[in-house]
């Protein structure tokens, strides 16, 4: 038998890219590729790119430049660009970096095996279509390798919301939900391979409306179906839009014991003027009311969010409204970004906030978020949490896992195994994690 070919994938961006990279590795696994952690060993290098940050494409071009020498010394090495920059730039990538052999958009990964054959023949392969066929179905014949205890599962893709700052509707296309039976089959398969926690993914996951046996299912209905899967112990989902937070989903947070008490619900800003200009179609007040209702259903829920500061025309007063909202919600986690222009999006044309001002606001917001984060993490000390162990820790006899609230928890001398879920008494809170003892 010939040596297996080696594949090096570098993944940027959101969890959906992480999921997609796994699927691409499996698709190419069928063509005899095994993954390597070292680009120098690779027969094929794939960059799975993200377009959300400023100068994302430029960064991809400079990253590609670094492989030039490698390719010069190894003419059989094939280089591919996947993900959202591939979708946005398309052919331009091969024009600017002629050593790129393959460009594949997020909707075309199932065509990778054919594309690989083409590039092995010395041709170029480009596919940034939004094809009709179901890529997930085409990708499903994969090896039954054992998995870690926590896995992602894409249930919905794309977005129709067109927030004024965002490229996702352009790179991922229109909102599409996968049929429920296929998701359930995939979940069952994951559980058989050792998975105990599944995070359902979608750019707008709570807008899910996939076909079921008796009409479309909502995300909450899908969660209740997953709740019946034996051996699956934990369900999470991300990312949600406030406008799609339906009653049945809120209620599920109070009644579905497998649904973890953690919710990522980005608000982006606290000023109604800015929210309107962002085309978010919710107000600060409606968001706060929503959080209140979620907390009525599940009082201990830990909230997480995304923020953009320095959006065009944001004044100090507008920014203050963001701080007020954060002070009221108190997030356990939050991701905050300085607004950056994305060519082609409506906000790119508007008057920009001076960078120094935006930087200063970002710092103020982040220090408030860090304070809350710290308070919430510290409040876990003395409590008994449930921990799913994911990997060995840095020290002998140490295991690291995640609590129901998504905090990292370290335990020493417990004899716990990866995949175990244990009751843990939290004894201390460190910079980025908690420490505890398994309760016998
Ligand atoms: N679908 C998700 C988020 C997708 S992008 C949602 O609706 O919440 C992830 C985050 O990146 C966004 O929530 C936003 O906070 C940030 N982001 C997107 N475009 C941005 C831009 N042009 N500048 C700064 N941050 C941006
Ligand atoms: Fe982007 Fe808005 Fe869609 Fe989220 S909801 S992906 S921020 S357009
Ligand atoms: Fe980035 Fe595309 Fe995800 S732009 S955040 S990789 S959907």
């Amino acid at each position: 038998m010939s040596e297996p070919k080696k594949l090096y994938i570098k993944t940027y961006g959101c969890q959906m890219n992480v999921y997609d990279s796994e699927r691409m590795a499996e698709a190419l696994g069928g063509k005899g590729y095994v993954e390597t952690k070292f680009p120098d060993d690779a027969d094929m290098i794939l960059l799975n790119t993200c377009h959300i940050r400023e100068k994302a494409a430029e960064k991809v071009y400079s990253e590609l430049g670094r492989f030039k020498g490698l390719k010069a010394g190894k003419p059989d090495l094939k280089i591919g660009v996947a993900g959202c920059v591939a979708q946005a730039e398309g052919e331009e990538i091969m024009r600017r970096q002629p050593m790129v052999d393959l460009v594949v958009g997020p909707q075309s990964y199932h065509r990778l095996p054919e594309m690989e054959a083409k590039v092995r023949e010395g041709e170029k392969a480009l596919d940034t279509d939004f094809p009709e066929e179901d890529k997930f179905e085409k990708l499903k014949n994969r090896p039954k390798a054992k998995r870690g205890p926590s896995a992602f599962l894409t249930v919905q893709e794309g977005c129709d919301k067109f927030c004024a700052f965002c490229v996702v509707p352009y790179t991922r296309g229109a909102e599409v939900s996968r049929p429920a039976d296929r998701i359930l089959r995939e979940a069952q398969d994951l559980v058989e391979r050792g998975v105990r926690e599944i995070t359902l993914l979608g750019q707008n996951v709570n807008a899910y409306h996939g076909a079921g046996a008796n009409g479309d299912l909502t995300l909450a209905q899908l969660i209740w179906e997953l709740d019946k899967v034996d051996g699956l112990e934990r369900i999470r989902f991300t990312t949600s839009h406030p406008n799609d937070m339906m009653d049945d989903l809120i209620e599920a947070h109070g009644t579905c014991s497998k649904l973890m008490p953690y919710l990522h619900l980005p608000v982006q800003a606290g000023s109604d003027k800015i929210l309107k200009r962002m085309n978010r179609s919710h107000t600060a007040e409606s968001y706060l009311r929503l959080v209140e209702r979620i907390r009525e259903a599940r009082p201990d829920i830990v909230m997480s969010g995304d923020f953009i500061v320095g959006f065009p025309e944001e004044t100090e007063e507008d920014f203050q409204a963001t701080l007020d909202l954060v002070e009221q919600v108190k997030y356990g986690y939050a991701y905050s970004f300085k607004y950056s222009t994305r060519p082609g999006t409506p906000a790119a044309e508007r008057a920009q906030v001076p960078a120094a001002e935006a930087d200063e606001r970002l710092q103020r917001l982040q220090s408030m978020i860090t304070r809350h984060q710290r308070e919430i993490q510290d409040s876990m000390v003395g409590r008994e949490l449930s921990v799913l162990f994911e990997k060995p820790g840095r020290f002998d006899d140490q295991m690291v896992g995640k609590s129901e609230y998504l905090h990292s928890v370290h335990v020493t001398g417990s004899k716990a195994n990866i995949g175990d879920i244990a009751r843990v008494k939290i004894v201390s809170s460190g910079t980025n994690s908690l420490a505890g003892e398994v309760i016998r």
Side-chain angles (χ1 to χ4, degrees):
M1 244 182 75
S2 60
E3 281 261 305
K5 285 175 281 189
K6 296 214 174 91
L7 170 69
Y8 172 77
I9 303 191
K10 189 161 178 185
T11 309
Y12 303 82
C14 62
Q15 289 105 324
M16 201 164 288
N17 267 9
V18 175
Y19 178 89
D20 287 344
S21 288
E22 288 171 6
R23 299 293 82 73
M24 289 194 278
E26 285 166 357
L28 289 171
K31 303 234 33 173
Y33 281 87
V34 295
E35 271 193 85
T36 170
K37 290 194 167 74
F38 311 102
D40 293 10
D41 291 347
D43 300 289
M44 161 122 39
I45 291 176
L46 272 183
L47 299 183
N48 192 8
T49 60
C50 170
H51 204 237
I52 211 89
R53 300 282 154 249
E54 196 165 15
K55 302 197 178 75
E58 293 312 312
K59 284 177 191 149
V60 171
Y61 288 119
S62 70
E63 180 81 31
L64 286 168
R66 302 209 339 233
F67 297 129
K68 238 182 207 152
L70 205 58
K71 179 132 176 168
K74 197 174 176 185
D76 277 349
L77 170 67
K78 301 296 173 191
I79 295 181
V81 181
C84 293
V85 173
Q87 188 65 45
E89 296 276 295
E91 251 178 300
E92 179 66 15
I93 297 181
M94 288 171 176
R95 247 196 305 272
R96 280 188 55 181
Q97 287 285 6
M99 51 110 169
V100 170
D101 301 284
L102 180 157
V103 172
V104 58
Q107 303 309 323
S108 306
Y109 295 153
H110 55 296
R111 294 176 176 167
L112 258 181
E114 294 127 65
M115 296 175 80
E116 191 269 348
K118 208 169 156 190
V119 300
R120 284 285 153 218
E121 296 293 313
E123 289 174 50
K124 301 260 178 200
L126 168 84
D127 194 336
T128 51
D129 291 349
F130 287 96
E132 288 286 316
E133 73 258 21
D134 184 341
K135 69 169 174 184
F136 295 109
E137 276 303 288
K138 304 257 168 171
L139 283 171
K140 86 180 171 204
N141 290 328
R142 46 179 205 262
K144 294 251 171 202
K146 188 141 170 56
R147 297 279 314 239
S150 185
F152 294 129
L153 202 176
T154 294
V155 303
Q156 177 278 337
E157 263 197 292
C159 179
D160 297 336
K161 299 269 191 306
F162 291 93
C163 299
F165 50 80
C166 184
V167 289
V168 171
Y170 309 95
T171 58
R172 291 278 170 164
E175 209 258 282
V176 187
S177 295
R178 295 179 66 195
D181 58 340
R182 296 188 187 158
I183 295 165
L184 291 166
R185 251 191 282 137
E186 193 170 328
Q188 189 66 52
D189 175 65
L190 287 169
V191 169
E192 283 161 18
R193 291 155 69 192
V195 168
R196 307 199 74 192
E197 172 180 89
I198 290 180
T199 302
L200 306 175
L201 297 181
Q203 269 91 16
N204 244 287
V205 71
N206 57 345
Y208 178 81
H209 56 94
N214 307 304
D216 281 3
L217 265 61
T218 62
L219 184 67
Q221 287 165 331
L222 179 70
I223 288 169
W224 281 113
E225 289 300 315
L226 286 162
D227 181 71
K228 295 181 203 151
V229 175
D230 272 343
L232 177 62
E233 305 298 339
R234 292 175 154 198
I235 304 166
R236 305 180 184 276
F237 59 89
T238 196
T239 295
S240 298
H241 192 285
N243 285 15
D244 295 315
M245 208 60 212
M246 298 306 162
D247 291 350
D248 59 349
L249 188 56
I250 297 176
E251 202 181 304
H253 273 288
T255 49
C256 179
S257 59
K258 288 187 184 177
L259 188 56
M260 293 295 103
Y262 169 92
L263 179 64
H264 186 62
L265 192 64
V267 64
Q268 312 297 358
S271 143
D272 288 344
K273 175 192 104 188
I274 294 299
L275 285 170
K276 194 156 185 194
R277 289 179 193 189
M278 286 179 165
N279 192 29
R280 287 290 293 183
S281 56
H282 56 76
T283 62
E285 181 57 38
S286 70
Y287 180 86
L288 288 169
R289 173 73 195 119
L290 182 59
V291 172
E292 205 174 284
R293 285 175 53 222
I294 295 161
R295 286 193 165 137
E296 274 161 22
R298 182 77 201 221
D300 61 338
I301 201 160
V302 167
M303 296 297 299
S304 123
D306 290 347
F307 293 89
I308 294 178
V309 303
F311 188 76
E313 299 164 66
E314 183 188 74
T315 62
E316 173 60 28
E317 200 186 344
D318 293 321
F319 174 67
Q320 200 58 50
T322 298
L323 293 180
D324 289 347
L325 181 141
V326 171
E327 194 62 64
Q328 287 185 68
V329 175
K330 288 201 167 59
Y331 292 89
Y333 307 81
Y335 307 88
S336 43
F337 313 97
K338 190 166 74 160
Y339 170 73
S340 73
T341 48
R342 302 265 54 100
T345 59
E349 314 298 320
R350 302 180 195 157
Q352 307 294 317
V353 170
E357 229 163 280
D359 280 331
E360 189 262 346
R361 286 178 196 163
L362 186 63
Q363 265 184 22
R364 278 152 71 202
L365 175 62
Q366 287 183 340
S367 73
M368 178 181 272
I369 289 168
T370 308
R371 175 163 57 81
H372 292 160
Q373 208 163 327
R374 185 82 237 174
E375 281 169 20
I376 291 171
Q377 192 189 298
D378 291 351
S379 75
M380 300 293 162
V381 176
R383 288 185 58 181
E384 274 181 29
L385 304 182
S386 126
V387 175
L388 169 60
F389 292 107
E390 292 182 346
K391 55 181 187 205
R394 262 193 298 148
F395 303 105
D396 274 357
D397 224 11
Q398 192 187 47
M399 288 290 278
V400 191
K402 290 271 163 62
S403 80
E404 53 272 67
Y405 305 107
L406 216 57
H407 291 114
S408 282
V409 180
H410 293 250
V411 167
T412 317
S414 69
K415 307 257 180 314
N417 294 309
I418 290 173
D420 287 353
I421 297 177
R423 300 294 300 168
V424 172
K425 171 111 179 181
I426 303 301
V427 294
S428 67
S429 172
T431 324
N432 290 311
S433 64
L434 297 164
E437 289 157 4
V438 171
I439 301 163
R440 299 272 159 216

PDB file of all heavy atoms in Angstrom, residues 306-327:
ATOM      1  N   ASP A 306     -22.223  39.345  22.299  1.00  0.00           N
ATOM      2  CA  ASP A 306     -21.249  40.004  21.424  1.00  0.00           C
ATOM      3  C   ASP A 306     -21.557  41.499  21.391  1.00  0.00           C
ATOM      4  O   ASP A 306     -22.734  41.880  21.426  1.00  0.00           O
ATOM      5  CB  ASP A 306     -21.373  39.521  19.966  1.00  0.00           C
ATOM      6  CG  ASP A 306     -20.925  38.087  19.771  1.00  0.00           C
ATOM      7  OD1 ASP A 306     -20.297  37.517  20.669  1.00  0.00           O
ATOM      8  OD2 ASP A 306     -21.214  37.545  18.684  1.00  0.00           O
ATOM      9  N   PHE A 307     -20.490  42.288  21.316  1.00  0.00           N
ATOM     10  CA  PHE A 307     -20.648  43.743  21.254  1.00  0.00           C
ATOM     11  C   PHE A 307     -19.767  44.338  20.178  1.00  0.00           C
ATOM     12  O   PHE A 307     -18.652  43.873  19.964  1.00  0.00           O
ATOM     13  CB  PHE A 307     -20.272  44.386  22.588  1.00  0.00           C
ATOM     14  CG  PHE A 307     -21.222  44.012  23.669  1.00  0.00           C
ATOM     15  CD1 PHE A 307     -21.008  42.876  24.426  1.00  0.00           C
ATOM     16  CD2 PHE A 307     -22.370  44.760  23.886  1.00  0.00           C
ATOM     17  CE1 PHE A 307     -21.913  42.494  25.399  1.00  0.00           C
ATOM     18  CE2 PHE A 307     -23.282  44.387  24.855  1.00  0.00           C
ATOM     19  CZ  PHE A 307     -23.051  43.247  25.610  1.00  0.00           C
ATOM     20  N   ILE A 308     -20.283  45.377  19.552  1.00  0.00           N
ATOM     21  CA  ILE A 308     -19.469  46.169  18.633  1.00  0.00           C
ATOM     22  C   ILE A 308     -19.419  47.584  19.189  1.00  0.00           C
ATOM     23  O   ILE A 308     -20.469  48.170  19.478  1.00  0.00           O
ATOM     24  CB  ILE A 308     -20.080  46.186  17.216  1.00  0.00           C
ATOM     25  CG1 ILE A 308     -20.031  44.778  16.608  1.00  0.00           C
ATOM     26  CG2 ILE A 308     -19.337  47.178  16.327  1.00  0.00           C
ATOM     27  CD1 ILE A 308     -20.644  44.672  15.227  1.00  0.00           C
ATOM     28  N   VAL A 309     -18.229  48.114  19.379  1.00  0.00           N
ATOM     29  CA  VAL A 309     -18.115  49.517  19.791  1.00  0.00           C
ATOM     30  C   VAL A 309     -17.558  50.339  18.635  1.00  0.00           C
ATOM     31  O   VAL A 309     -16.863  49.807  17.762  1.00  0.00           O
ATOM     32  CB  VAL A 309     -17.233  49.721  21.044  1.00  0.00           C
ATOM     33  CG1 VAL A 309     -17.740  48.906  22.219  1.00  0.00           C
ATOM     34  CG2 VAL A 309     -15.784  49.384  20.750  1.00  0.00           C
ATOM     35  N   GLY A 310     -17.904  51.621  18.644  1.00  0.00           N
ATOM     36  CA  GLY A 310     -17.413  52.505  17.593  1.00  0.00           C
ATOM     37  C   GLY A 310     -18.101  52.276  16.262  1.00  0.00           C
ATOM     38  O   GLY A 310     -17.519  52.540  15.204  1.00  0.00           O
ATOM     39  N   PHE A 311     -19.339  51.792  16.302  1.00  0.00           N
ATOM     40  CA  PHE A 311     -20.116  51.698  15.063  1.00  0.00           C
ATOM     41  C   PHE A 311     -20.309  53.117  14.526  1.00  0.00           C
ATOM     42  O   PHE A 311     -20.381  54.069  15.315  1.00  0.00           O
ATOM     43  CB  PHE A 311     -21.470  51.047  15.366  1.00  0.00           C
ATOM     44  CG  PHE A 311     -22.269  50.721  14.142  1.00  0.00           C
ATOM     45  CD1 PHE A 311     -21.943  49.616  13.357  1.00  0.00           C
ATOM     46  CD2 PHE A 311     -23.343  51.526  13.756  1.00  0.00           C
ATOM     47  CE1 PHE A 311     -22.675  49.318  12.208  1.00  0.00           C
ATOM     48  CE2 PHE A 311     -24.074  51.234  12.611  1.00  0.00           C
ATOM     49  CZ  PHE A 311     -23.735  50.123  11.835  1.00  0.00           C
ATOM     50  N   PRO A 312     -20.364  53.309  13.189  1.00  0.00           N
ATOM     51  CA  PRO A 312     -20.508  54.668  12.652  1.00  0.00           C
ATOM     52  C   PRO A 312     -21.576  55.491  13.392  1.00  0.00           C
ATOM     53  O   PRO A 312     -22.668  54.990  13.627  1.00  0.00           O
ATOM     54  CB  PRO A 312     -20.901  54.413  11.195  1.00  0.00           C
ATOM     55  CG  PRO A 312     -20.237  53.121  10.867  1.00  0.00           C
ATOM     56  CD  PRO A 312     -20.271  52.312  12.127  1.00  0.00           C
ATOM     57  N   GLU A 313     -21.207  56.706  13.735  1.00  0.00           N
ATOM     58  CA  GLU A 313     -22.088  57.671  14.391  1.00  0.00           C
ATOM     59  C   GLU A 313     -22.384  57.347  15.850  1.00  0.00           C
ATOM     60  O   GLU A 313     -23.284  57.920  16.458  1.00  0.00           O
ATOM     61  CB  GLU A 313     -23.403  57.840  13.618  1.00  0.00           C
ATOM     62  CG  GLU A 313     -23.168  58.352  12.200  1.00  0.00           C
ATOM     63  CD  GLU A 313     -24.377  58.163  11.307  1.00  0.00           C
ATOM     64  OE1 GLU A 313     -25.405  58.804  11.578  1.00  0.00           O
ATOM     65  OE2 GLU A 313     -24.287  57.372  10.348  1.00  0.00           O
ATOM     66  N   GLU A 314     -21.640  56.416  16.454  1.00  0.00           N
ATOM     67  CA  GLU A 314     -21.814  56.146  17.878  1.00  0.00           C
ATOM     68  C   GLU A 314     -21.212  57.307  18.674  1.00  0.00           C
ATOM     69  O   GLU A 314     -20.027  57.602  18.542  1.00  0.00           O
ATOM     70  CB  GLU A 314     -21.112  54.842  18.273  1.00  0.00           C
ATOM     71  CG  GLU A 314     -21.322  54.470  19.751  1.00  0.00           C
ATOM     72  CD  GLU A 314     -20.465  53.284  20.188  1.00  0.00           C
ATOM     73  OE1 GLU A 314     -19.240  53.458  20.354  1.00  0.00           O
ATOM     74  OE2 GLU A 314     -21.025  52.184  20.361  1.00  0.00           O
ATOM     75  N   THR A 315     -22.040  57.953  19.491  1.00  0.00           N
ATOM     76  CA  THR A 315     -21.546  59.041  20.339  1.00  0.00           C
ATOM     77  C   THR A 315     -21.204  58.476  21.716  1.00  0.00           C
ATOM     78  O   THR A 315     -21.533  57.322  22.020  1.00  0.00           O
ATOM     79  CB  THR A 315     -22.630  60.116  20.535  1.00  0.00           C
ATOM     80  OG1 THR A 315     -23.740  59.485  21.211  1.00  0.00           O
ATOM     81  CG2 THR A 315     -23.113  60.696  19.219  1.00  0.00           C
ATOM     82  N   GLU A 316     -20.601  59.311  22.538  1.00  0.00           N
ATOM     83  CA  GLU A 316     -20.290  58.895  23.907  1.00  0.00           C
ATOM     84  C   GLU A 316     -21.574  58.484  24.636  1.00  0.00           C
ATOM     85  O   GLU A 316     -21.588  57.517  25.393  1.00  0.00           O
ATOM     86  CB  GLU A 316     -19.562  60.045  24.633  1.00  0.00           C
ATOM     87  CG  GLU A 316     -19.321  59.831  26.118  1.00  0.00           C
ATOM     88  CD  GLU A 316     -18.474  58.590  26.454  1.00  0.00           C
ATOM     89  OE1 GLU A 316     -17.655  58.182  25.622  1.00  0.00           O
ATOM     90  OE2 GLU A 316     -18.675  58.030  27.567  1.00  0.00           O
ATOM     91  N   GLU A 317     -22.652  59.220  24.347  1.00  0.00           N
ATOM     92  CA  GLU A 317     -23.926  58.911  25.000  1.00  0.00           C
ATOM     93  C   GLU A 317     -24.457  57.540  24.559  1.00  0.00           C
ATOM     94  O   GLU A 317     -24.966  56.764  25.375  1.00  0.00           O
ATOM     95  CB  GLU A 317     -24.925  60.013  24.622  1.00  0.00           C
ATOM     96  CG  GLU A 317     -26.099  60.119  25.538  1.00  0.00           C
ATOM     97  CD  GLU A 317     -27.107  61.139  24.991  1.00  0.00           C
ATOM     98  OE1 GLU A 317     -26.740  61.939  24.091  1.00  0.00           O
ATOM     99  OE2 GLU A 317     -28.258  61.115  25.460  1.00  0.00           O
ATOM    100  N   ASP A 318     -24.331  57.260  23.262  1.00  0.00           N
ATOM    101  CA  ASP A 318     -24.742  55.941  22.752  1.00  0.00           C
ATOM    102  C   ASP A 318     -23.934  54.846  23.439  1.00  0.00           C
ATOM    103  O   ASP A 318     -24.466  53.814  23.848  1.00  0.00           O
ATOM    104  CB  ASP A 318     -24.496  55.831  21.232  1.00  0.00           C
ATOM    105  CG  ASP A 318     -25.397  56.766  20.438  1.00  0.00           C
ATOM    106  OD1 ASP A 318     -26.573  56.915  20.815  1.00  0.00           O
ATOM    107  OD2 ASP A 318     -24.907  57.344  19.442  1.00  0.00           O
ATOM    108  N   PHE A 319     -22.640  55.089  23.540  1.00  0.00           N
ATOM    109  CA  PHE A 319     -21.772  54.085  24.151  1.00  0.00           C
ATOM    110  C   PHE A 319     -22.158  53.862  25.610  1.00  0.00           C
ATOM    111  O   PHE A 319     -22.171  52.734  26.113  1.00  0.00           O
ATOM    112  CB  PHE A 319     -20.297  54.497  24.033  1.00  0.00           C
ATOM    113  CG  PHE A 319     -19.389  53.571  24.768  1.00  0.00           C
ATOM    114  CD1 PHE A 319     -19.220  52.260  24.355  1.00  0.00           C
ATOM    115  CD2 PHE A 319     -18.713  53.996  25.909  1.00  0.00           C
ATOM    116  CE1 PHE A 319     -18.399  51.383  25.057  1.00  0.00           C
ATOM    117  CE2 PHE A 319     -17.893  53.129  26.615  1.00  0.00           C
ATOM    118  CZ  PHE A 319     -17.734  51.813  26.192  1.00  0.00           C
ATOM    119  N   GLN A 320     -22.501  54.964  26.282  1.00  0.00           N
ATOM    120  CA  GLN A 320     -22.934  54.877  27.674  1.00  0.00           C
ATOM    121  C   GLN A 320     -24.141  53.939  27.802  1.00  0.00           C
ATOM    122  O   GLN A 320     -24.254  53.178  28.766  1.00  0.00           O
ATOM    123  CB  GLN A 320     -23.280  56.283  28.175  1.00  0.00           C
ATOM    124  CG  GLN A 320     -23.274  56.439  29.684  1.00  0.00           C
ATOM    125  CD  GLN A 320     -21.927  56.083  30.323  1.00  0.00           C
ATOM    126  OE1 GLN A 320     -20.887  56.559  29.896  1.00  0.00           O
ATOM    127  NE2 GLN A 320     -21.937  55.216  31.344  1.00  0.00           N
ATOM    128  N   ALA A 321     -25.009  53.974  26.811  1.00  0.00           N
ATOM    129  CA  ALA A 321     -26.188  53.099  26.831  1.00  0.00           C
ATOM    130  C   ALA A 321     -25.770  51.625  26.743  1.00  0.00           C
ATOM    131  O   ALA A 321     -26.419  50.746  27.330  1.00  0.00           O
ATOM    132  CB  ALA A 321     -27.136  53.461  25.687  1.00  0.00           C
ATOM    133  N   THR A 322     -24.696  51.353  26.021  1.00  0.00           N
ATOM    134  CA  THR A 322     -24.167  49.974  25.977  1.00  0.00           C
ATOM    135  C   THR A 322     -23.684  49.569  27.359  1.00  0.00           C
ATOM    136  O   THR A 322     -23.992  48.477  27.853  1.00  0.00           O
ATOM    137  CB  THR A 322     -23.024  49.868  24.937  1.00  0.00           C
ATOM    138  OG1 THR A 322     -23.553  50.180  23.650  1.00  0.00           O
ATOM    139  CG2 THR A 322     -22.427  48.465  24.906  1.00  0.00           C
ATOM    140  N   LEU A 323     -22.927  50.478  28.006  1.00  0.00           N
ATOM    141  CA  LEU A 323     -22.440  50.168  29.361  1.00  0.00           C
ATOM    142  C   LEU A 323     -23.614  49.925  30.322  1.00  0.00           C
ATOM    143  O   LEU A 323     -23.568  49.001  31.136  1.00  0.00           O
ATOM    144  CB  LEU A 323     -21.550  51.300  29.895  1.00  0.00           C
ATOM    145  CG  LEU A 323     -20.199  51.517  29.201  1.00  0.00           C
ATOM    146  CD1 LEU A 323     -19.442  52.673  29.860  1.00  0.00           C
ATOM    147  CD2 LEU A 323     -19.335  50.259  29.206  1.00  0.00           C
ATOM    148  N   ASP A 324     -24.655  50.747  30.184  1.00  0.00           N
ATOM    149  CA  ASP A 324     -25.827  50.574  31.063  1.00  0.00           C
ATOM    150  C   ASP A 324     -26.456  49.199  30.875  1.00  0.00           C
ATOM    151  O   ASP A 324     -26.841  48.537  31.832  1.00  0.00           O
ATOM    152  CB  ASP A 324     -26.897  51.638  30.760  1.00  0.00           C
ATOM    153  CG  ASP A 324     -26.461  53.016  31.234  1.00  0.00           C
ATOM    154  OD1 ASP A 324     -25.470  53.102  31.992  1.00  0.00           O
ATOM    155  OD2 ASP A 324     -27.101  54.015  30.814  1.00  0.00           O
ATOM    156  N   LEU A 325     -26.573  48.804  29.624  1.00  0.00           N
ATOM    157  CA  LEU A 325     -27.188  47.504  29.337  1.00  0.00           C
ATOM    158  C   LEU A 325     -26.333  46.372  29.915  1.00  0.00           C
ATOM    159  O   LEU A 325     -26.852  45.439  30.538  1.00  0.00           O
ATOM    160  CB  LEU A 325     -27.362  47.344  27.822  1.00  0.00           C
ATOM    161  CG  LEU A 325     -28.009  46.034  27.366  1.00  0.00           C
ATOM    162  CD1 LEU A 325     -28.970  46.290  26.210  1.00  0.00           C
ATOM    163  CD2 LEU A 325     -26.990  44.996  26.964  1.00  0.00           C
ATOM    164  N   VAL A 326     -25.027  46.477  29.729  1.00  0.00           N
ATOM    165  CA  VAL A 326     -24.121  45.439  30.247  1.00  0.00           C
ATOM    166  C   VAL A 326     -24.223  45.364  31.773  1.00  0.00           C
ATOM    167  O   VAL A 326     -24.270  44.277  32.353  1.00  0.00           O
ATOM    168  CB  VAL A 326     -22.667  45.721  29.793  1.00  0.00           C
ATOM    169  CG1 VAL A 326     -21.677  44.798  30.492  1.00  0.00           C
ATOM    170  CG2 VAL A 326     -22.555  45.564  28.285  1.00  0.00           C
ATOM    171  N   GLU A 327     -24.311  46.533  32.392  1.00  0.00           N
ATOM    172  CA  GLU A 327     -24.422  46.579  33.857  1.00  0.00           C
ATOM    173  C   GLU A 327     -25.702  45.867  34.306  1.00  0.00           C
ATOM    174  O   GLU A 327     -25.717  45.194  35.337  1.00  0.00           O
ATOM    175  CB  GLU A 327     -24.413  48.046  34.311  1.00  0.00           C
ATOM    176  CG  GLU A 327     -24.183  48.273  35.795  1.00  0.00           C
ATOM    177  CD  GLU A 327     -22.828  47.783  36.306  1.00  0.00           C
ATOM    178  OE1 GLU A 327     -21.795  48.325  35.865  1.00  0.00           O
ATOM    179  OE2 GLU A 327     -22.802  46.864  37.145  1.00  0.00           O
TER     180      GLU A 327
END
